[in-house]
Amino acid sequence: MKGRVSFVTIGCKVNLCESGSLAELFKKNGWEVVAGEDADVYVLNTCTVTAQAERKCRQEIRKLARKHPKAQIVVMGCYAQVAPEELKLPGVKVVVGTQNRAKILELVESQTPGKLVGPLEPGLAFEDLGVGTYERTRATLKIQDGCHQHCTYCRVRLARGPIRSLPEARVLELARELVAQGMREIVLSGVNLGAWGLDQPERPQLWQLLDKLAQIPDLARIRLGSIEPGDVTDELLEVMAARESLCHHLHLPLQSGSGKILRLMGRGYTPDDFARTVERIRGALPSLGLTADVMVAFPGEGEVEFEESYQFIKKLGFSRLHVFSYSKRPGTPALKLGGHLSKKEAHARSQALLALGGELAENYHRRFLEKKVEIILEEETEGVWEGLTEQYVRVWARGEGQAGQLRWVQVQTAHAEGLEGILD
């Protein structure tokens, strides 16, 4: 054994996936990967989406340096890409951005301090780090990186660079590898997932990849991560309806239900456009679970705009909401807008939408009362199994079973958190 390495991840599922891939790389090269224990090396994967996330990254570095003064600290990811100088803190030996992460192993083993943060220019290749995270019976596979959106509040585009894709043949190879290792469900992730393939010579589309993945034997479920509303094509909906293993769940970043705010955000669609997309989705897949990201307190969001957004969200009836507040991001156009709200007002609006999200979730879950739903058994605690439906609804079910089984559950109770019932 060469040593002990621990990964600390702050941010999205793409970050988790990348950390998991690097952990596998370290394992294959003779390292022991540990969690929450003393390690020789700590790798912190950072986030720059909000000021709070960046502050959390800095706090984590200081905590690691204080508790483990002899350890090497490696900082990588989005925050490291856009502001490497802010992470030159005590204890940090290596800083790597959102490329060249496979070289972390070499730098750690040679104990060479270094900084690998270069420009993310057009023509950049997808960095293939192999398989991503494993979660009981489910694995996350990153197939896309980079963003071509121009949202005025976000600097992920600066942190991730141009769009780039993992080639189809490699996606299929890794998916088969995951199935051979016992994974029953694969979640496809990406920074701008719907843009998968657009940088490839043949310009394949996501729905075509899904159709091929769905033909892999013993792959029970394929789930999509977040996808932009404009990338929900009729072809995508058709293949989701036709292939049994494709989960009837979509997560769309709505951000606001106010036309004025969407324009200021640079989102490229109106509330009516979004509503028509939802109508098409539900026409093709009536039972689909539709979850969404929503931002509050964007500059210029007065009481009228917030109420418009609130009522729009309520009308569409999402199955779950992810609510977050606008955060000032250096280098973004939104920073120059007038009408920035106080933290107090942002918190109040966030709480109002969280409460609405709970009501919408419970309303959606009640559709399944006294019906049967199918889940993959993930983990058992005191005779109760936990798992997800294809619509991304959490289920707790009493009965005998085995991890990885696809089982039907007779639903008896529905609440905001999910469903409860008995295994058939």
Side-chain angles (χ1 to χ4, degrees), residues 47-271:
C47 176
T48 190
V49 167
T50 65
Q52 182 180 3
E54 290 181 347
R55 184 165 56 252
K56 187 176 179 182
C57 292
R58 296 190 299 271
Q59 290 171 344
E60 189 65 35
I61 291 170
R62 294 187 180 101
K63 184 178 78 173
L64 290 172
R66 185 173 61 253
K67 292 180 66 176
H68 311 283
K70 294 182 180 181
Q72 291 188 68
I73 299 176
V74 177
V75 180
M76 71 174 202
C78 292
Y79 188 15
Q81 179 68 40
V82 299
E85 67 285 349
E86 294 181 18
L87 297 173
K88 292 178 181 177
L89 299 172
V92 175
K93 299 296 191 294
V94 177
V95 178
V96 179
T98 52
Q99 280 287 111
N100 298 310
R101 286 158 295 190
K103 293 183 179 179
I104 289 173
L105 177 65
E106 178 186 336
L107 292 172
V108 164
E109 291 187 341
S110 65
Q111 296 192 3
T112 304
K115 175 182 147 185
L116 292 174
V117 183
L120 302 174
E121 299 173 342
L124 196 67
F126 183 94
E127 186 178 25
D128 184 357
L129 297 172
V131 296
T133 55
Y134 301 84
E135 187 181 1
R136 304 175 190 131
T137 60
R138 183 168 59 254
T140 302
L141 178 59
K142 178 188 167 188
I143 66 169
Q144 189 276 336
D145 207 340
C147 184
H148 61 179
Q149 304 290 324
H150 294 272
C151 303
T152 62
Y153 52 84
C154 184
R155 65 173 180 170
V156 168
R157 187 165 170 267
L158 303 176
R160 288 288 178 168
I163 59 170
R164 48 209 189 273
S165 310
L166 184 63
E168 178 187 282
R170 180 62 170 155
V171 176
L172 296 173
E173 177 188 354
L174 290 175
R176 293 188 185 101
E177 182 181 325
L178 288 167
V179 172
Q181 292 172 9
M183 295 297 106
R184 303 304 314 279
E185 178 178 319
I186 292 178
V187 183
L188 301 180
S189 74
V191 175
N192 193 344
L193 186 59
W196 178 88
L198 296 183
D199 61 314
Q200 302 291 303
E202 304 84 6
R203 292 180 70 84
Q205 296 184 50
L206 182 62
W207 69 267
Q208 294 171 312
L209 176 66
L210 290 173
D211 195 41
K212 293 182 179 179
L213 283 168
Q215 298 176 50
I216 296 177
D218 299 320
L219 178 52
R221 283 183 180 169
I222 304 158
R223 193 181 299 278
L224 292 177
S226 179
I227 185 170
E228 288 291 326
D231 293 328
V232 182
T233 63
D234 289 339
E235 292 87 353
L236 176 66
L237 296 176
E238 286 169 10
V239 76
M240 288 178 69
R243 294 292 188 179
E244 188 176 344
S245 59
L246 296 180
C247 289
H248 288 192
H249 168 245
L250 288 172
H251 183 85
L252 306 181
L254 166 63
Q255 310 307 15
S256 177
S258 162
K260 171 190 167 182
I261 299 304
L262 287 174
R263 286 193 301 275
L264 291 173
M265 287 179 167
R267 289 296 292 159
Y269 54 81
T270 67

Side-chain angles (χ1 to χ4, degrees), residues 295-413:
M295 182 189 296
V296 298
F298 186 81
E301 183 190 75
E303 292 183 9
V304 171
E305 289 78 21
F306 176 70
E307 183 63 20
E308 285 176 349
S309 189
Y310 184 98
Q311 294 301 330
F312 184 77
I313 292 164
K314 185 176 182 179
K315 180 181 177 181
L316 288 187
F318 295 101
S319 58
R320 179 183 294 184
L321 295 181
H322 174 225
V323 181
F324 60 106
S325 299
Y326 165 77
S327 182
K328 296 178 180 179
R329 303 285 70 222
T332 61
L335 197 60
K336 300 176 183 178
L337 295 175
H340 287 255
L341 278 71
S342 68
K343 289 184 178 180
K344 181 179 179 181
E345 186 60 40
H347 178 73
R349 292 183 181 184
S350 177
Q351 291 301 115
L353 279 183
L354 286 170
L356 175 61
E359 293 174 17
L360 295 177
E362 183 168 353
N363 289 341
Y364 179 75
H365 297 161
R366 288 181 66 83
R367 298 181 187 184
F368 300 100
L369 275 174
E370 300 181 2
K371 295 180 181 178
K372 291 183 180 180
V373 297
E374 192 175 35
I375 66 171
I376 296 176
L377 302 186
E378 295 180 3
E379 188 175 40
E380 182 263 342
T381 305
E382 297 181 353
V384 177
W385 282 95
E386 190 173 335
L388 288 170
T389 71
E390 64 169 323
Q391 294 88 0
Y392 204 66
V393 177
R394 180 66 58 185
V395 177
W396 294 268
R398 297 183 302 278
E400 298 293 326
Q402 244 181 342
Q405 286 181 332
L406 266 172
R407 294 286 297 273
W408 288 97
V409 177
Q410 180 66 50
V411 177
Q412 296 176 320
T413 306

Side-chain angles (χ1 to χ4, degrees), residues 271-290:
D272 285 345
D273 294 334
F274 192 96
R276 282 191 290 268
T277 297
V278 171
E279 185 178 358
R280 282 194 300 111
I281 292 170
R282 288 177 171 156
L285 304 163
S287 67
L288 177 134
L290 185 62

